[in-house]
Amino acid sequence: MKIPNSEITPYELYLNRRKFIKSTVLASIGASLPKGLNANHSDNSEIYNAYLDEGDELNKFSEITTYNNFYEFWSGKGDPAKYSKDFKPEPWTISVDGLVNKPKTFDFDDLLKKITIEDRVYRLRCVEAWSMVIPWQGFPLSALINIAEPLSSAKFVKFETIFRPTEMPAQSTGLLPWPYVEGLRMDEAMNPLTLLSTGLYGHKLPNQNGAPIRLVVPWKYGFKSIKSITKISFTESRPVSTWQSLAPHEYGFYSNVNPNVDHPRWSQSTERRIGEFKRRKTLMYNGYEKEVSYMYKDLDLKKFF
Ligand SMILES: Nc1nc2c(c(=O)[nH]1)N[C@H]1C(S)=C(S)[C@@H](COP(=O)(O)O)O[C@H]1N2
Ligand SMILES: [Mo]
């Protein structure tokens, strides 16, 4: 019996469909890719022509949502799933300010109406040398940047996570300086791979993964992919990211995945895919070298790590 698509949840579809179209990441940006989900992530079987690289298999929804880093909910990998249940990502606003023609505070739902949600499958590679393959939904950050119309003096984009200690228990402590901050150079922010994600596996983003909206920068270590973003500012000078402010010798501004530059306390040359036991060789720029290396060709990657 053929079950109508409307009665299969997106997650079941993913699990049942192991034949993913293999194509380059660049192809995903082209017009050939099915255009994404509705903003409310309702079911649509066509979009599950997700693409994977050879040797990559999607991580399970249960892995992606129970093995997390989100220090606002404490630092154990299982903590965010346990302690984020009272976090309320609705309603939500994102303010866009700084060096732009059109500063504005967007209501999250209104913003989604202006924007086309797409499907992407990206690896997320943590600085602690584990990785996952995650089917994200979201929209290119460039779409929001274009709405804001940055001035030519804007050289960087700064992101901030919400500060809400009543719902984010570790924010009542000094575990990290709050709010969590990250930054990108303007060309990195405009790169078509850079995603503002609003969902995964066809579900709205779970709280532990950064509800309702988080960054995904697939060629950089996971900590750049800041969660639960409520403020985006365009700046002339380079923002200082949270991990950089804590340990500048360990966490640089660029944080490009690079097997040839060790973290001061461990090698970055291999990683463990969650769900596997063997180690994999870490790929330059997490495997997105073709798409992003041009941005760094004049940089000494040992110095600008
Ligand atoms: N606000 C905030 N964003 C954050 C973090 C955090 O602690 N706080 N951790 C980062 C790190 S270190 C990683 S590896 C990724 C993990 O994303 P995931 O839990 O969805 O896999 O989120 C990043 N974004
Ligand atoms: Mo990380």
Side-chain angles (χ1 to χ4, degrees):
M1 191 189 77
K2 200 168 172 286
I3 305 165
N5 284 335
S6 58
E7 295 185 8
I8 310 174
T9 68
Y11 180 51
E12 286 165 338
L13 264 174
Y14 265 109
L15 289 183
N16 292 337
R17 236 170 121 162
R18 283 289 166 177
K19 272 181 270 139
F20 293 99
I21 291 171
K22 191 184 161 252
S23 65
T24 67
V25 175
L26 270 186
S28 77
I29 296 154
S32 62
L33 237 230
K35 273 289 176 212
L37 286 164
N38 302 327
N40 61 5
H41 305 309
S42 64
D43 192 5
N44 174 352
S45 65
E46 282 312 301
I47 60 164
Y48 294 108
N49 293 324
Y51 52 91
L52 290 171
D53 281 346
E54 210 152 5
D56 275 336
E57 213 179 305
L58 290 176
N59 276 99
K60 296 193 182 88
F61 185 78
S62 60
E63 292 165 338
I64 297 167
T65 56
T66 58
Y67 193 91
N68 300 99
N69 268 340
F70 199 169
Y71 277 51
E72 284 81 345
F73 302 105
W74 308 110
S75 60
K77 301 294 174 228
D79 290 345
K82 267 190 238 149
Y83 300 114
S84 66
K85 295 198 168 61
D86 295 332
F87 181 64
K88 290 179 194 67
E90 289 163 17
W92 192 266
T93 60
I94 303 169
S95 61
V96 177
D97 67 11
L99 303 171
V100 286
N101 271 325
K102 299 197 170 145
K104 187 178 160 89
T105 297
F106 293 92
D107 172 74
F108 179 66
D109 294 329
D110 290 344
L111 177 64
L112 289 193
K113 284 180 202 140
K114 293 191 178 49
I115 259 150
T116 308
I117 301 289
E118 299 175 19
D119 270 78
R120 305 276 181 98
V121 176
Y122 284 162
R123 290 176 287 276
L124 185 141
R125 203 282 193 190
C126 182
V127 75
E128 298 159 85
W130 51 267
S131 63
M132 292 200 212
V133 182
I134 302 176
W136 305 100
Q137 287 81 48
F139 57 89
L141 171 61
S142 64
L144 180 56
I145 294 179
N146 290 336
I147 293 173
E149 297 180 10
L151 308 176
S152 58
S153 53
K155 300 284 189 280
F156 296 91
V157 188
K158 179 183 175 189
F159 305 85
E160 287 176 40
T161 295
I162 200 160
F163 181 68
R164 206 185 265 173
T166 51
E167 295 176 22
M168 296 176 140
Q171 284 185 334
S172 302
T173 75
L175 182 62
L176 290 185
W178 313 108
Y180 193 97
V181 171
E182 261 304 339
L184 293 173
R185 217 168 59 183
M186 188 61 88
D187 57 340
E188 299 176 321
M190 288 298 292
N191 188 285
L193 293 188
T194 305
L195 194 71
L196 278 173
S197 170
T198 55
L200 57 86
Y201 263 123
H203 293 259
K204 287 180 181 178
L205 269 188
N207 285 349
Q208 58 268 40
N209 294 92
I213 185 166
R214 58 92 59 83
L215 193 66
V216 182
V217 196
W219 69 95
K220 292 178 182 279
Y221 291 114
F223 61 88
K224 295 298 274 188
S225 293
I226 178 173
K227 295 174 168 180
S228 303
I229 298 167
T230 192
K231 188 165 149 70
I232 299 179
S233 313
F234 292 80
T235 65
E236 178 139 34
S237 57
R238 201 171 79 178
V240 179
S241 61
T242 294
W243 288 103
Q244 214 190 339
S245 77
L246 282 167
H249 301 292
E250 299 194 15
Y251 307 102
F253 176 79
Y254 283 95
S255 310
N256 291 319
V257 173
N258 187 343
N260 308 314
V261 174
D262 289 343
H263 182 278
R265 289 184 282 141
W266 53 77
S267 161
Q268 293 283 19
S269 64
T270 66
E271 68 201 55
R272 190 174 72 84
R273 183 68 45 82
I274 297 303
E276 292 179 354
F277 295 102
K278 64 168 192 211
R279 294 190 76 82
R280 291 170 175 258
K281 278 202 170 123
T282 289
L283 301 173
M284 188 67 198
Y285 298 112
N286 207 20
Y288 302 96
E289 185 166 15
K290 266 212 311 279
E291 292 85 0
V292 303
S293 59
Y294 73 93
M295 290 188 285
Y296 311 108
K297 61 185 184 327
D298 299 326
L299 276 193
D300 173 353
L301 299 181
K302 286 222 149 58
K303 200 162 156 219
F304 297 95
F305 57 89

